[in-house]
Amino acid sequence: MSEFVFSPKPIRIESGDGPWLEAESGTEYLDMGASYACTPLGHSHPAVVEALSSQAEQLTYVQGSYPVEVREELYELVTDLAPDPIDHGWLSNSGTEANEAAIKFARHATGRSKILATKNAFHGRTMGSLAATWKPKYRDGFEPLAGEFDFVTFDDEAALRDAVDEETAAVIVEPIQGEGGINPASEAFLEAARAATEEVGAALIVDEIQTGLGRTGDMWAIEGTDVAPDILTSAKGLANGLPLGATLVREWIAEDAGNHGSTFSGGPAIAAAGKATLETIVEEDLPDHAATLGEQFRSELEAAVGDSVKAVRGEGLMIGIQVKRGANSVVRDLAIEHDILALPAGRTVVRFLPPLIIEEEHVEQTVEAVRKVISEE
Ligand SMILES: Cc1ncc(COP(=O)(O)O)c(C=O)c1O
């Protein structure tokens, strides 16, 4: 089947090792986007490869109605790592499904249907998650979407307070908007979302699909605040590049979440990869490493590009540079001239979401390349 939903990049990748990707041409690229944050441990991490292949050999899949040890262990681990008092979860196969479940659970548990999201948000592309996604480029041609969704300006506390009422089922928010351009929410905004939802008995859904798993310097970005969500969603790096999502919920949601399910939810082979990924993140204290290296990366970037860019922002190893020309051309120059893979986030932001295992040398190499590319603008 030819690819018709996205245009392939001109670099054909053959293999991966740690932060490196090797192309068919033999060129080695430094993957400073971790392939959309999906490989926090780097490519083909041995712990994940070993867990996946031995579990696949023992039992690749069995229907979810039969209890299997590895699935139970993953549930226990992921709910233990979730911020208190979240202690229940549901496993799926992607970020959009994790959010789709979050929306369904919140609607069922509250008996309401209004969901409030933020402008510039990205929550996925299935009909429910897409309805919470802001940009017309994702929505055009697919409307009407599912349900009653409304949007408030990101980080506008007053607008959010005004928009939440007794008919609101949930507010969904990214602690740092990823696709929207690396926009960190202020703690005051997240606190306002918590207070407003609590007041009317609505759920606060925190989408940590891009920010979670140590990327921002804490296991979850929300842990850098005093805000305790009702639902937290995770995916992307959860099984280090294999399809796994999680919708983690508090008791009051779990006990009235309704009938939901998915054939592949927490299948043994993927569960083994997820468990190995989470264990490695914890054992190697990668959130802490991301905090230290992120600080260095950001300050070196600021020093290197100074006033030639509009802003450098982010947290830990989730960093965006708002450039003066189009982000795509900077991303292209970094790849073609310096063998460094970055990501655009919108039209003007160049985004770095490197594997959390990168070292100082990778930061230095990237900063030097960015300095050269930006100075050519
Ligand atoms: C914050 C956020 N939510 C949801 C998604 C959707 O995840 P997936 O592409 O796995 O469906 C993404 C993907 O980029 C994301 O960044």
Side-chain angles (χ1 to χ4, degrees):
M1 190 180 85
S2 64
E3 293 170 287
F4 66 95
V5 286
F6 64 93
S7 44
K9 299 233 180 307
I11 300 165
R12 294 174 62 87
I13 301 295
E14 200 167 62
S15 62
D17 182 14
W20 299 99
L21 282 170
E22 189 170 339
E24 281 176 8
S25 62
T27 307
E28 291 211 327
Y29 293 91
L30 183 58
D31 186 6
M32 291 298 282
S35 293
Y36 284 101
C38 291
T39 55
L41 307 182
H43 293 280
S44 301
H45 189 279
V48 180
V49 172
E50 162 57 24
L52 174 69
S53 44
S54 60
Q55 182 60 51
E57 212 165 284
Q58 186 186 321
L59 177 69
T60 303
Y61 176 76
V62 66
Q63 67 190 73
S65 43
Y66 295 114
V68 172
E69 193 178 2
V70 68
R71 184 192 288 120
E72 290 171 346
E73 286 171 348
L74 175 59
Y75 265 112
E76 199 175 319
L77 186 54
V78 75
T79 48
D80 275 359
L81 289 173
D84 288 337
I86 286 177
D87 56 1
H88 291 71
W90 184 74
L91 298 173
S92 56
N93 314 287
S94 65
T96 197
E97 275 178 273
N99 283 336
E100 202 76 29
I103 292 163
K104 283 179 72 179
F105 295 164
R107 284 180 54 162
H108 200 276
T110 59
R112 308 171 188 171
S113 52
K114 251 177 63 174
I115 309 281
L116 191 67
T118 58
K119 292 182 183 172
N120 281 313
F122 185 90
H123 295 295
R125 296 169 189 259
T126 48
M127 294 306 260
S129 306
L130 182 58
T133 290
W134 163 254
K135 283 191 185 161
K137 87 167 188 185
Y138 302 114
R139 302 168 64 99
D140 279 357
F142 298 115
E143 287 163 310
L145 293 162
E148 288 173 74
F149 286 77
D150 225 330
F151 294 89
V152 287
T153 302
F154 186 70
D155 226 23
D156 183 337
E157 297 154 48
L160 182 128
R161 265 191 240 102
D162 282 353
V164 174
D165 61 28
E166 302 281 333
E167 285 163 25
T168 306
V171 170
I172 181 165
V173 66
E174 296 157 87
I176 303 175
Q177 288 186 329
E179 304 302 305
I182 311 292
N183 308 314
S186 63
E187 189 158 352
F189 181 68
L190 296 169
E191 279 169 0
R194 178 64 288 179
T197 44
E198 206 157 85
E199 204 176 305
V200 299
L204 176 62
I205 305 171
V206 172
D207 178 343
E208 294 249 17
I209 287 162
Q210 199 162 136
T211 51
L213 303 170
R215 176 151 303 282
T216 64
D218 290 298
M219 189 65 187
W220 310 104
I222 202 71
E223 286 176 332
T225 73
D226 284 332
V227 172
D230 299 294
I231 306 180
L232 181 148
T233 54
S234 177
K236 285 200 181 284
L238 194 51
N240 207 49
L242 289 146
L244 181 65
T247 307
L248 306 170
V249 307
R250 286 194 196 200
E251 180 79 32
W252 73 273
I253 302 278
E255 65 193 14
D256 191 14
N259 184 341
H260 187 66
S262 165
T263 298
F264 287 125
S265 169
I270 300 296
K275 185 172 160 256
T277 303
L278 287 175
E279 283 169 350
T280 309
I281 289 174
V282 172
E283 274 161 28
E284 297 187 5
D285 207 358
L286 292 180
D288 208 45
H289 183 65
T292 312
L293 226 60
E295 186 67 44
Q296 181 193 341
F297 190 10
R298 207 175 124 174
S299 62
E300 286 186 17
L301 275 175
E302 275 163 0
V305 294
D307 294 338
S308 329
V309 301
K310 289 194 174 153
V312 178
R313 53 179 182 254
E315 204 64 60
L317 288 173
M318 180 171 187
I319 298 178
I321 308 176
Q322 188 162 3
V323 292
K324 291 183 177 165
R325 65 168 153 149
N328 275 335
S329 72
V330 175
V331 169
R332 188 198 53 223
D333 290 355
L334 283 171
I336 303 301
E337 291 167 21
H338 300 279
D339 304 338
I340 287 176
L341 305 181
L343 299 162
R347 275 183 294 119
T348 59
V349 176
V350 178
R351 174 174 40 159
F352 296 99
L353 306 168
L356 308 184
I357 47 92
I358 56 162
E359 297 295 344
E360 271 182 45
E361 69 205 74
H362 307 117
V363 166
E364 310 282 323
Q365 189 181 336
T366 306
V367 170
E368 184 52 18
V370 169
R371 194 188 58 72
K372 286 189 180 142
V373 169
I374 297 289
S375 69
E376 285 159 11
E377 278 193 292

